[in-house]
Amino acid sequence: TCPWASSVCPIAARTRRILITNDTDFGELILRRGLPHAGVILFRLQTTAFAAKQAALDLVLRDYSDRLREFLVVMDGRVRVRRPRR
């Protein structure tokens, strides 16, 4: 995993900030290892174009505003809410 990702998670959780990222290391840290978080929006889009990410974020904010404190994976055409392994 990315060395700085494990230090970003606790800071974001403590300050109640939602992480918006393309880095799948956050999935490993949060979903598999159980690191606390205040919400994650992980982009898994086919394109890296800013306009596509902005449109996807607009959709998440509009349609998933009640689930922003969860782990959301944003893919082309759909959003998946992930739960940590127990």
Side-chain angles (χ1 to χ4, degrees):
T1 62
C2 181
W4 53 266
S6 60
S7 54
V8 169
C9 287
I11 294 168
R14 187 174 61 252
T15 58
R16 305 208 27 88
R17 297 182 192 274
I18 298 168
L19 293 170
I20 301 174
T21 186
N22 295 313
D23 190 338
T24 57
D25 286 345
F26 287 101
E28 169 70 24
L29 292 169
I30 293 168
L31 298 174
R32 293 205 173 120
R33 295 188 189 176
L35 257 62
H37 67 92
V40 176
I41 300 171
L42 172 64
F43 286 112
R44 298 292 310 260
L45 303 174
Q46 295 296 316
T47 181
T48 58
F50 178 78
K53 291 178 185 178
Q54 186 176 21
L57 183 58
D58 287 344
L59 175 128
V60 168
L61 294 176
R62 184 188 69 228
D63 295 348
Y64 293 86
S65 63
D66 60 331
R67 305 196 77 177
L68 293 177
R69 296 295 176 185
E70 299 182 52
F71 194 104
L72 304 175
V73 181
V74 181
M75 298 167 280
D76 294 309
R78 72 185 201 136
V79 176
R80 193 169 160 204
V81 180
R82 299 287 313 267
R83 305 248 190 279
R85 290 183 179 174
R86 304 270 172 195

